[in-house]
Each structure stands twice: as C-alpha cells, then as structure tokens.
Amino acid sequence: MTAAEETERQQAPEVAAAPAGTDWRGFAAALGLGAVGGSLFFLLHVPLAFMIGALVSVTAAAMAGVRVSVPRRLRTAMVVVLGIMLGSAFRPAMLEHLSEWAVSLGGLVLYTVAAALAGLLYLRRVARYDGVTAYFTAMPGGFQEMVLMGSAMGGDDRTIALAHSMRIMLTVLTVPFAFQLLPGFAPAARDWSLGGLGPGLIDLPLRDVALLAACALGAPVAQRLRIPAGMLVGPMLLSAAVHLSGLTAGKPPGLLVAAAQVVIGAGIGCRFAGVPLRTIATVAAAALGLTVALLAVTVLMALSVHLLTGLDLAALILAYAPGGLAEMSLVALSLHVDAAFVATHHIARIVLIVIFAPLAWRLWQARRQRAAVR
C-alpha cells in the first residue's frame, strides 16, 4: 500500500482506498456480502448490526482471496450521510451541559499521551517495530494522516495502514459486546427495525429533507479548509448547527443509514484484499496486543474521569476508545449512548494527534541528534 494510494483516502476518512476506476465485479461482491452479513447480524439483534455484519463478511472474503472493492465516490457519499446523521444527535438542550464536558475534554490530552506511550512501548519492546513505524502506528487515531506522515518519515506504510485498520476493526468488534460487562449498564430498549435507525423514506417532511441535504455542503468546505476527516466532520458540524438551533429535529432515513453502515463496514473489510495471509497474521498479532494496551488505558482513563465528574461511564469509554470517529459514534447511537458527546471527543482527539504527533516526532528526533553530536 503506497503513500499515493493512501492520499486518496483523504476523500473518505478511515475507509478503504480503491484503485482507479470501478471494479464492478469486486463492488458487487463486496456490496452483496456486506448486505447479507449486515442483514444476518440485524436479525440476530447484534449491536451496530449492518456495519459489523458487513465488516465480518467482507473481511473473511478478502482474506479468502475473493476480489472485493468499494468505489471511492460511494464511500464518500455514505461518509457524508453518516456525518449528517451524527450531527442530528446534537439537541438544543445540550447547550446547557457543554461546560460539564470541560474535564473530560481536558482528560483527552492526558489519555492521548498515555495511550500513545503505552502503544509505542509495546510495539518497540514486544512487536519489535522500528522507531518510525512504531511511533505512527501507536497513535490512537488519525488513520490516514499517520500513514502519510509515517511513510514520509521513512516508516513502513503498509504495516502502519494494516495495524490501524485492525485496531479499528478489533475495537468495533469488541466494545459493543464488552459493554454487557459494565456494572449497571442497561441500554435503553431498542427498536429492532429500520425505523430504529431513522424515519422511513417517505416519512421525512420536505423541509427537513432540504435542510439535511444542505448540510452535505459542509463536506467540500471542510476539505478546502483541510479539516481532518473533513468529509465526515464538515456535514456533521453543519447538521449539528441546524439541530442545535432548533431548525429541525429530522434524521436521515433508516434505510439510507443502514446502507451507509454496510458500505463503511465493507470498506474496512476491503483493506485486506490482496494482502498475503502471512502478512495479515503477523500484523494482526501485533495489532491485537496494541489494541488491548490502548483499551486498557481507555478504561482506566474513563473510570478516573467518571469518578471525578460523575459523567456517564459508558459515554466516556466510547469517547476515549481507540476506534474511528464514525465507527465509535455509530456504536454510541446503537447503544443509545450520547453520540454528540462521543463524536466531539473523537474530533478533538483527531485534531490533537494530527497537529502534535508530527511535531513531537520532530522534537524527539532533534533531541536525539543533539545527544549523538555530544
């Protein structure tokens, strides 16, 4: 996986890259497998069913050598849909509670440093990664930025990309089920129908349709401003603005949300297409240990902030969890946890990592060079 291929991912954050043109056969396979897997998991009442089902089925097919791919334009469109949907989780009543998030957002700085150090120590001492590859793999977020920066600094871009993909996949597969072990956690009763994901296609008033569609304009604006994960964050911010202002309480249709989850899940699975099984197994072993280390730091930090502030422990775990912004926000929606709280913390973490990770690396290298001269 080259740096040039990774550049294309900036058009759709944390979603698999695709080759030039459309591989219709691979697309049909990925979409068909994703839809079947998502539907099966939905019938089994699995949390975040359409995304996890598509992820599992397409990943298995990719590792078995089946040609699967998802067109970049489709992924981009679905990421925009998810951004609009996540913005709909913001409500005017939340404005009264924003000050309560100050401590948890401050704790995010400590969490990011602690998680990165724990990951770096593990990858260097146990997985035996070289310094550059270990550093940019250990960052708990900023998938495509870390691959590009790591490659530019001389790291193994394929290892960094695969390890981050597996970190996200393992977190998505683990966290929703691990929540059953949380003391006192009892999610609200779920509507196990597409209506539980959003309104019907014909149930949304035309005024709401127009307002939600206009939020898609946030994507090109965010891209032009070079906002990290702009295709998701831009529409989400516009959607949050119209929902916080009370202009609408509408959400994207449930069928469209289910389709977006299938595409995103299938996109993650497609990352493993064409990669030798031996390479996947080697990186998977390291990624498993890394994910365990990051999740341990996540739980410790979330518990500490919970005891300090009284904020919901489930929301804090999802806010700090080392998964992707879209993925963890979707998990929050699936578990009826405050998705706005979770998304805000993930955006803040991405910004922290993108800005300070390369700066910290350069300062560290400069210090090592000065020490070598002495």
Side-chain angles (χ1 to χ4, degrees):
M1 192 175 298
T2 66
E5 290 171 331
E6 285 300 325
T7 301
E8 294 184 4
R9 291 191 184 179
Q10 294 184 5
Q11 299 299 317
E14 305 219 52
V15 186
T22 300
D23 177 4
W24 292 107
R25 180 179 172 184
F27 171 46
L31 194 62
L33 289 166
V36 170
S39 299
L40 176 61
F41 277 46
F42 186 72
L43 292 175
L44 294 175
H45 291 186
V46 174
L48 198 60
F50 287 103
M51 182 173 151
I52 292 180
L55 187 158
V56 170
S57 59
V58 175
T59 298
M63 293 176 67
V66 177
R67 197 170 78 194
V68 288
S69 68
V70 177
R72 180 170 62 83
R73 289 185 178 180
L74 177 61
R75 291 196 309 272
T76 300
M78 292 307 181
V79 166
V80 171
V81 170
L82 290 183
I84 296 171
M85 182 190 68
L86 293 177
S88 70
F90 290 77
R91 292 285 183 265
M94 291 175 50
L95 295 174
E96 302 174 7
H97 303 286
L98 288 180
S99 60
E100 299 174 6
W101 298 3
V103 174
S104 58
L105 285 169
L108 192 62
V109 178
L110 179 59
Y111 163 77
T112 303
V113 173
L117 288 175
L120 179 59
L121 183 64
Y122 166 78
L123 291 172
R124 288 288 284 154
R125 299 288 179 84
V126 180
R128 300 293 181 183
Y129 280 14
D130 65 87
V132 180
T133 302
Y135 180 86
F136 288 97
T137 300
M139 294 299 126
F143 179 103
Q144 63 269 21
E145 291 86 2
M146 293 305 100
V147 175
L148 289 170
M149 293 174 187
S151 177
M153 300 291 182
D156 184 337
D157 58 351
R158 184 170 73 169
T159 296
I160 297 172
L162 281 176
H164 276 285
S165 297
M166 289 181 179
R167 165 181 59 80
I168 294 169
M169 182 176 71
L170 290 170
T171 302
V172 169
L173 292 175
T174 301
V175 170
F177 302 101
F179 263 55
Q180 308 304 318
L181 303 177
L182 281 179
F185 177 72
R190 300 171 194 164
D191 179 359
W192 290 106
S193 68
L194 287 181
L197 297 175
L201 287 172
I202 61 174
D203 296 333
L204 201 63
L206 288 178
R207 178 177 179 275
D208 288 346
V209 171
L211 284 170
L212 294 177
C215 293
L217 296 175
V221 173
Q223 286 289 92
R224 181 172 290 275
L225 295 175
R226 298 189 177 182
I227 295 175
M231 297 303 294
L232 181 74
V233 173
M236 191 190 90
L237 291 178
L238 274 185
S239 178
V242 298
H243 284 85
L244 284 172
S245 66
L247 289 175
T248 180
K251 299 180 179 180
L255 184 61
L256 187 58
V257 172
Q261 290 189 30
V262 168
V263 170
I264 298 300
I268 297 174
C270 287
R271 291 176 184 162
F272 301 96
V275 181
L277 285 177
R278 187 168 183 175
T279 300
I280 292 176
T282 301
V283 178
L288 177 60
L290 173 64
T291 305
V292 169
L294 296 181
L295 285 175
V297 177
T298 295
V299 173
L300 287 173
M301 191 66 201
L303 184 58
S304 299
V305 175
H306 167 69
L307 293 174
L308 184 63
T309 65
L311 289 171
D312 182 50
L313 180 59
L316 286 166
I317 290 175
L318 290 180
Y320 291 149
L325 164 60
E327 291 82 3
M328 288 300 97
S329 300
L330 284 171
V331 171
L333 288 169
S334 172
L335 296 176
H336 293 266
V337 175
D338 189 346
F341 178 87
V342 172
T344 299
H345 283 69
H346 276 273
I347 291 171
R349 182 174 60 189
I350 291 172
V351 172
L352 279 172
I353 291 173
V354 170
I355 292 175
F356 292 106
L359 177 61
W361 171 258
R362 292 188 182 97
L363 291 174
W364 182 27
Q365 291 300 98
R367 182 176 179 180
R368 290 182 62 186
Q369 290 174 0
R370 287 196 299 268
V373 171
R374 293 175 186 172

